[in-house]
């Protein structure tokens, strides 16, 4: 299958591209810069120059592909306005990709986050949140899943709060960056909140399985760790960096503060049973031992 991939040179995307190529697929990778194009070429993917806001380029990518995997996101959490802009850009891109696939029965795999289920572990059956700082992403992905009724084999792979590889990535990676800046390895409130996690190489396998097998309109959870306590994550970061570990105000995390402070464990039981997915790489707390002082 020739697969058009957005975000194919990021932490998750590079793993997905390698997984696809290693299993007989070819890849057309959206590349927003010359540097990204070189990375794609080095990975044996064909680059397509353009960014997520270049809607005509996205249409051209779909026209050349047997399926689409969407992973790109601006990842600008510096302010509420910056985050809102990133969400709006992605929403327009998803709508464009989806419309180009209508009536084709081609697979369209998009990405979202695992949902929050008050008082319990969330499952694949829980709906995505459509309010809050990233509610727009939930609305956009829900619309993509709705394309199942219009001849698109649309599916969503829901990613946990930390997707990691060699000690970097995700919310845990943000905690590490903030610790380096502030001199304190912090956690919100009492740190008992639980965050799910997965290794990027395990997540990549699930994206391929969803592309190849998943029925239209379905959601899947790329969750290896159901929930690591944030204070345990901060403890490893603090020990690796030689920094004190303590509670810090939620304002420390900017617009992500409310999300950081929420207990949000998640399950992947149905995903494992239905698609035969089984994580094999190091869990988060073990992988964080790769952090260098």
């Amino acid at each position: 299958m020739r697969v058009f991939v957005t975000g194919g040179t990021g932490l998750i995307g590079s793993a997905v591209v390698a997984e696809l190529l290693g299993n007989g697929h070819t890849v057309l990778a959206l590349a927003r810069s010359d540097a990204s194009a070189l990375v794609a070429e080095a990975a044996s993917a064909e680059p397509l120059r353009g960014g997520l806001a270049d809607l005509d380029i996205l249409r051209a990518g779909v026209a050349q592909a047997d399926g689409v995997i969407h992973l790109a996101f601006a990842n600008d959490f510096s302010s509420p306005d910056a985050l809102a802009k990133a969400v709006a850009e992605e929403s327009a891109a998803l709508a464009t990709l989806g419309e180009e696939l209508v009536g084709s029965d081609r697979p369209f795999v998009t990405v979202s986050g695992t949902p929050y289920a008050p008082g319990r572990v969330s499952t694949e059956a829980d709906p995505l949140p459509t309010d809050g700082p990233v509610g727009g992403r939930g609305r956009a992905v829900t619309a993509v899943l709705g394309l199942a009724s219009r001849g698109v084999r649309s599916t969503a792979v829901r990613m946990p709060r930390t997707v990691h590889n060699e000690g970097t990535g995700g919310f845990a990676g943000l905690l590490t960056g903030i610790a380096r800046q502030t001199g304190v390895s912090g956690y919100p409130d009492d740190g008992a909140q639980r965050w799910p996690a997965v290794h990027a190489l395990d997540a990549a396998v699930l994206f391929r399985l969803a592309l190849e097998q998943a029925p239209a309109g379905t959601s899947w959870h790329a969750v290896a760790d159901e929930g690591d306590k944030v204070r345990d994550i901060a403890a490893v970061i603090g020990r690796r960096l030689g920094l004190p570990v303590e509670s810090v105000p939620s304002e420390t995390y900017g617009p992500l503060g409310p999300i950081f402070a929420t207990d949000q464990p998640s399950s992947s039981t149905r995903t494992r049973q239905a698609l035969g997915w089984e994580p094999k790489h190091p869990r988060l707390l073990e992988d964080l031992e790769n952090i260098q002082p």
Side-chain angles (χ1 to χ4, degrees):
M1 195 182 300
R2 181 169 169 81
V3 188
F4 178 41
V5 179
T6 72
T9 58
L11 175 76
I12 304 170
S14 58
V16 169
V17 167
E19 176 70 19
L20 292 171
L21 294 171
N23 284 272
H25 301 288
T26 59
V27 174
L28 177 66
L30 187 69
R32 63 184 175 185
S33 67
D34 290 340
S36 292
L38 290 174
V39 170
E41 289 177 341
S44 299
E46 178 187 342
L48 177 66
R49 279 302 309 273
L52 207 56
D54 299 321
L55 302 185
D56 286 340
I57 298 296
L58 298 184
R59 294 184 184 99
V62 173
Q64 300 175 56
D66 303 308
V68 176
I69 295 179
H70 165 72
L71 293 161
F73 189 68
N75 285 324
D76 187 346
F77 305 113
S78 60
S79 70
D81 286 346
L83 181 56
K85 181 179 178 182
V87 170
E89 179 182 74
E90 181 188 45
S91 297
L94 284 173
T96 298
L97 292 168
E99 283 299 321
E100 290 300 300
L101 289 164
V102 165
S104 69
D105 291 320
R106 285 177 285 173
F108 181 15
V109 185
T110 189
V111 65
S112 67
T114 51
Y116 163 61
R120 63 174 173 82
V121 174
S122 70
T123 73
E124 295 88 344
D126 288 310
L128 291 176
T130 54
D131 54 9
V134 292
R137 298 194 81 184
R139 294 191 294 273
V141 171
T142 299
V144 167
L145 295 177
L147 294 172
S149 65
R150 300 179 64 199
V152 182
R153 187 161 63 81
S154 55
T155 63
V157 174
R158 297 171 171 182
M159 307 301 287
R161 297 302 171 260
T162 293
V163 183
H164 56 93
N165 192 354
E166 294 298 315
T168 64
F171 278 12
L174 291 176
L175 288 184
T176 303
I178 292 170
R180 291 185 190 277
Q181 294 168 10
T182 64
V184 173
S185 180
Y187 52 83
D189 300 328
D190 64 359
Q193 310 90 338
R194 292 164 294 172
W195 291 351
V198 69
H199 196 287
L201 297 179
D202 287 321
V205 174
L206 182 54
F207 275 97
R208 176 179 60 80
L209 291 173
L211 178 83
E212 295 172 346
Q213 304 178 21
T218 54
S219 296
W220 309 97
H221 280 192
V223 173
D225 305 13
E226 282 198 355
D228 296 306
K229 291 182 179 179
V230 181
R231 63 173 177 248
D232 293 339
I233 297 170
V236 178
I237 294 170
R239 177 165 49 75
R240 295 297 302 165
L241 297 181
L243 297 174
V245 180
E246 58 191 57
S247 178
V248 298
S250 61
E251 294 77 33
T252 303
Y253 308 113
L256 291 177
I259 300 174
F260 272 35
T262 303
D263 184 50
Q264 45 198 295
S266 190
S267 164
S268 59
T269 300
R270 177 173 173 267
T271 297
R272 298 182 194 220
Q273 293 173 345
L275 296 182
W277 178 67
E278 193 60 46
K280 298 177 180 177
H281 291 86
R283 299 286 183 108
L284 174 60
L285 296 181
E286 177 186 352
D287 198 24
L288 289 175
E289 297 292 345
N290 288 297
I291 294 173
Q292 299 301 311

PDB file of all heavy atoms in Angstrom, residues 163-183:
ATOM      1  N   VAL A 163       4.218   9.532  24.872  1.00  0.00           N
ATOM      2  CA  VAL A 163       4.777   8.608  23.891  1.00  0.00           C
ATOM      3  C   VAL A 163       6.279   8.843  23.939  1.00  0.00           C
ATOM      4  O   VAL A 163       6.747   9.947  23.674  1.00  0.00           O
ATOM      5  CB  VAL A 163       4.225   8.867  22.481  1.00  0.00           C
ATOM      6  CG1 VAL A 163       4.783   7.845  21.502  1.00  0.00           C
ATOM      7  CG2 VAL A 163       2.700   8.837  22.489  1.00  0.00           C
ATOM      8  N   HIS A 164       7.018   7.821  24.288  1.00  0.00           N
ATOM      9  CA  HIS A 164       8.433   8.023  24.627  1.00  0.00           C
ATOM     10  C   HIS A 164       9.352   7.137  23.808  1.00  0.00           C
ATOM     11  O   HIS A 164       8.932   6.100  23.277  1.00  0.00           O
ATOM     12  CB  HIS A 164       8.651   7.751  26.121  1.00  0.00           C
ATOM     13  CG  HIS A 164       8.199   6.374  26.549  1.00  0.00           C
ATOM     14  ND1 HIS A 164       9.045   5.285  26.584  1.00  0.00           N
ATOM     15  CD2 HIS A 164       6.977   5.913  26.948  1.00  0.00           C
ATOM     16  CE1 HIS A 164       8.362   4.214  26.983  1.00  0.00           C
ATOM     17  NE2 HIS A 164       7.112   4.565  27.209  1.00  0.00           N
ATOM     18  N   ASN A 165      10.597   7.551  23.713  1.00  0.00           N
ATOM     19  CA  ASN A 165      11.645   6.759  23.074  1.00  0.00           C
ATOM     20  C   ASN A 165      12.984   7.298  23.567  1.00  0.00           C
ATOM     21  O   ASN A 165      13.278   8.483  23.411  1.00  0.00           O
ATOM     22  CB  ASN A 165      11.558   6.844  21.554  1.00  0.00           C
ATOM     23  CG  ASN A 165      12.439   5.817  20.865  1.00  0.00           C
ATOM     24  OD1 ASN A 165      13.206   5.105  21.509  1.00  0.00           O
ATOM     25  ND2 ASN A 165      12.322   5.731  19.544  1.00  0.00           N
ATOM     26  N   GLU A 166      13.770   6.441  24.194  1.00  0.00           N
ATOM     27  CA  GLU A 166      15.072   6.834  24.743  1.00  0.00           C
ATOM     28  C   GLU A 166      14.941   7.998  25.727  1.00  0.00           C
ATOM     29  O   GLU A 166      15.762   8.922  25.749  1.00  0.00           O
ATOM     30  CB  GLU A 166      16.047   7.189  23.617  1.00  0.00           C
ATOM     31  CG  GLU A 166      16.412   6.011  22.731  1.00  0.00           C
ATOM     32  CD  GLU A 166      17.136   4.892  23.484  1.00  0.00           C
ATOM     33  OE1 GLU A 166      18.043   5.196  24.260  1.00  0.00           O
ATOM     34  OE2 GLU A 166      16.759   3.717  23.298  1.00  0.00           O
ATOM     35  N   GLY A 167      13.877   7.961  26.535  1.00  0.00           N
ATOM     36  CA  GLY A 167      13.731   8.938  27.612  1.00  0.00           C
ATOM     37  C   GLY A 167      13.171  10.283  27.211  1.00  0.00           C
ATOM     38  O   GLY A 167      13.074  11.178  28.051  1.00  0.00           O
ATOM     39  N   THR A 168      12.788  10.446  25.943  1.00  0.00           N
ATOM     40  CA  THR A 168      12.232  11.727  25.504  1.00  0.00           C
ATOM     41  C   THR A 168      10.816  11.526  24.995  1.00  0.00           C
ATOM     42  O   THR A 168      10.394  10.415  24.688  1.00  0.00           O
ATOM     43  CB  THR A 168      13.086  12.344  24.385  1.00  0.00           C
ATOM     44  OG1 THR A 168      13.036  11.488  23.228  1.00  0.00           O
ATOM     45  CG2 THR A 168      14.533  12.499  24.832  1.00  0.00           C
ATOM     46  N   GLY A 169      10.071  12.653  24.896  1.00  0.00           N
ATOM     47  CA  GLY A 169       8.757  12.636  24.281  1.00  0.00           C
ATOM     48  C   GLY A 169       7.600  12.762  25.251  1.00  0.00           C
ATOM     49  O   GLY A 169       7.693  12.394  26.422  1.00  0.00           O
ATOM     50  N   GLY A 170       6.492  13.319  24.743  1.00  0.00           N
ATOM     51  CA  GLY A 170       5.244  13.380  25.489  1.00  0.00           C
ATOM     52  C   GLY A 170       5.278  14.268  26.716  1.00  0.00           C
ATOM     53  O   GLY A 170       6.169  15.102  26.904  1.00  0.00           O
ATOM     54  N   PHE A 171       4.272  14.075  27.571  1.00  0.00           N
ATOM     55  CA  PHE A 171       4.171  14.887  28.783  1.00  0.00           C
ATOM     56  C   PHE A 171       5.383  14.696  29.687  1.00  0.00           C
ATOM     57  O   PHE A 171       5.840  15.639  30.327  1.00  0.00           O
ATOM     58  CB  PHE A 171       2.896  14.527  29.544  1.00  0.00           C
ATOM     59  CG  PHE A 171       1.649  15.211  29.029  1.00  0.00           C
ATOM     60  CD1 PHE A 171       1.640  15.887  27.822  1.00  0.00           C
ATOM     61  CD2 PHE A 171       0.477  15.184  29.766  1.00  0.00           C
ATOM     62  CE1 PHE A 171       0.495  16.521  27.354  1.00  0.00           C
ATOM     63  CE2 PHE A 171      -0.671  15.810  29.312  1.00  0.00           C
ATOM     64  CZ  PHE A 171      -0.667  16.476  28.104  1.00  0.00           C
ATOM     65  N   ALA A 172       5.904  13.475  29.766  1.00  0.00           N
ATOM     66  CA  ALA A 172       7.094  13.244  30.592  1.00  0.00           C
ATOM     67  C   ALA A 172       8.270  14.045  30.044  1.00  0.00           C
ATOM     68  O   ALA A 172       9.083  14.586  30.807  1.00  0.00           O
ATOM     69  CB  ALA A 172       7.437  11.759  30.646  1.00  0.00           C
ATOM     70  N   GLY A 173       8.350  14.140  28.706  1.00  0.00           N
ATOM     71  CA  GLY A 173       9.404  14.952  28.102  1.00  0.00           C
ATOM     72  C   GLY A 173       9.246  16.427  28.436  1.00  0.00           C
ATOM     73  O   GLY A 173      10.239  17.131  28.664  1.00  0.00           O
ATOM     74  N   LEU A 174       7.981  16.899  28.483  1.00  0.00           N
ATOM     75  CA  LEU A 174       7.744  18.286  28.892  1.00  0.00           C
ATOM     76  C   LEU A 174       8.153  18.500  30.342  1.00  0.00           C
ATOM     77  O   LEU A 174       8.745  19.538  30.680  1.00  0.00           O
ATOM     78  CB  LEU A 174       6.265  18.644  28.698  1.00  0.00           C
ATOM     79  CG  LEU A 174       5.771  18.740  27.252  1.00  0.00           C
ATOM     80  CD1 LEU A 174       4.271  18.993  27.227  1.00  0.00           C
ATOM     81  CD2 LEU A 174       6.493  19.847  26.499  1.00  0.00           C
ATOM     82  N   LEU A 175       7.859  17.520  31.209  1.00  0.00           N
ATOM     83  CA  LEU A 175       8.289  17.628  32.606  1.00  0.00           C
ATOM     84  C   LEU A 175       9.810  17.730  32.695  1.00  0.00           C
ATOM     85  O   LEU A 175      10.348  18.500  33.494  1.00  0.00           O
ATOM     86  CB  LEU A 175       7.810  16.421  33.410  1.00  0.00           C
ATOM     87  CG  LEU A 175       6.326  16.302  33.735  1.00  0.00           C
ATOM     88  CD1 LEU A 175       6.090  15.077  34.618  1.00  0.00           C
ATOM     89  CD2 LEU A 175       5.793  17.550  34.422  1.00  0.00           C
ATOM     90  N   THR A 176      10.502  16.950  31.871  1.00  0.00           N
ATOM     91  CA  THR A 176      11.964  16.981  31.875  1.00  0.00           C
ATOM     92  C   THR A 176      12.475  18.349  31.441  1.00  0.00           C
ATOM     93  O   THR A 176      13.390  18.915  32.054  1.00  0.00           O
ATOM     94  CB  THR A 176      12.523  15.893  30.943  1.00  0.00           C
ATOM     95  OG1 THR A 176      12.033  14.616  31.356  1.00  0.00           O
ATOM     96  CG2 THR A 176      14.042  15.878  30.978  1.00  0.00           C
ATOM     97  N   GLY A 177      11.871  18.892  30.363  1.00  0.00           N
ATOM     98  CA  GLY A 177      12.299  20.205  29.887  1.00  0.00           C
ATOM     99  C   GLY A 177      12.076  21.297  30.914  1.00  0.00           C
ATOM    100  O   GLY A 177      12.944  22.166  31.121  1.00  0.00           O
ATOM    101  N   ILE A 178      10.929  21.265  31.583  1.00  0.00           N
ATOM    102  CA  ILE A 178      10.632  22.265  32.617  1.00  0.00           C
ATOM    103  C   ILE A 178      11.581  22.115  33.795  1.00  0.00           C
ATOM    104  O   ILE A 178      12.045  23.108  34.379  1.00  0.00           O
ATOM    105  CB  ILE A 178       9.158  22.141  33.054  1.00  0.00           C
ATOM    106  CG1 ILE A 178       8.233  22.557  31.913  1.00  0.00           C
ATOM    107  CG2 ILE A 178       8.882  22.996  34.294  1.00  0.00           C
ATOM    108  CD1 ILE A 178       6.768  22.239  32.153  1.00  0.00           C
ATOM    109  N   ALA A 179      11.908  20.867  34.146  1.00  0.00           N
ATOM    110  CA  ALA A 179      12.844  20.632  35.244  1.00  0.00           C
ATOM    111  C   ALA A 179      14.215  21.225  34.922  1.00  0.00           C
ATOM    112  O   ALA A 179      14.859  21.840  35.785  1.00  0.00           O
ATOM    113  CB  ALA A 179      12.959  19.135  35.522  1.00  0.00           C
ATOM    114  N   ARG A 180      14.651  21.057  33.699  1.00  0.00           N
ATOM    115  CA  ARG A 180      15.952  21.622  33.309  1.00  0.00           C
ATOM    116  C   ARG A 180      15.927  23.154  33.397  1.00  0.00           C
ATOM    117  O   ARG A 180      16.919  23.785  33.781  1.00  0.00           O
ATOM    118  CB  ARG A 180      16.299  21.197  31.875  1.00  0.00           C
ATOM    119  CG  ARG A 180      16.608  19.712  31.700  1.00  0.00           C
ATOM    120  CD  ARG A 180      17.064  19.440  30.267  1.00  0.00           C
ATOM    121  NE  ARG A 180      17.153  18.022  29.950  1.00  0.00           N
ATOM    122  CZ  ARG A 180      18.189  17.236  30.233  1.00  0.00           C
ATOM    123  NH1 ARG A 180      19.244  17.748  30.866  1.00  0.00           N
ATOM    124  NH2 ARG A 180      18.194  15.963  29.888  1.00  0.00           N
ATOM    125  N   GLN A 181      14.789  23.758  33.035  1.00  0.00           N
ATOM    126  CA  GLN A 181      14.688  25.216  33.033  1.00  0.00           C
ATOM    127  C   GLN A 181      14.583  25.799  34.438  1.00  0.00           C
ATOM    128  O   GLN A 181      15.156  26.861  34.725  1.00  0.00           O
ATOM    129  CB  GLN A 181      13.462  25.644  32.217  1.00  0.00           C
ATOM    130  CG  GLN A 181      13.551  25.324  30.730  1.00  0.00           C
ATOM    131  CD  GLN A 181      12.207  25.498  30.028  1.00  0.00           C
ATOM    132  OE1 GLN A 181      11.258  26.015  30.591  1.00  0.00           O
ATOM    133  NE2 GLN A 181      12.132  25.044  28.783  1.00  0.00           N
ATOM    134  N   THR A 182      13.840  25.111  35.307  1.00  0.00           N
ATOM    135  CA  THR A 182      13.522  25.672  36.616  1.00  0.00           C
ATOM    136  C   THR A 182      14.410  25.176  37.748  1.00  0.00           C
ATOM    137  O   THR A 182      14.422  25.766  38.829  1.00  0.00           O
ATOM    138  CB  THR A 182      12.064  25.360  36.987  1.00  0.00           C
ATOM    139  OG1 THR A 182      11.899  23.937  37.126  1.00  0.00           O
ATOM    140  CG2 THR A 182      11.109  25.880  35.917  1.00  0.00           C
ATOM    141  N   GLY A 183      15.108  24.063  37.521  1.00  0.00           N
ATOM    142  CA  GLY A 183      15.946  23.509  38.583  1.00  0.00           C
ATOM    143  C   GLY A 183      15.175  22.673  39.583  1.00  0.00           C
ATOM    144  O   GLY A 183      15.713  22.301  40.636  1.00  0.00           O
TER     145      GLY A 183
END
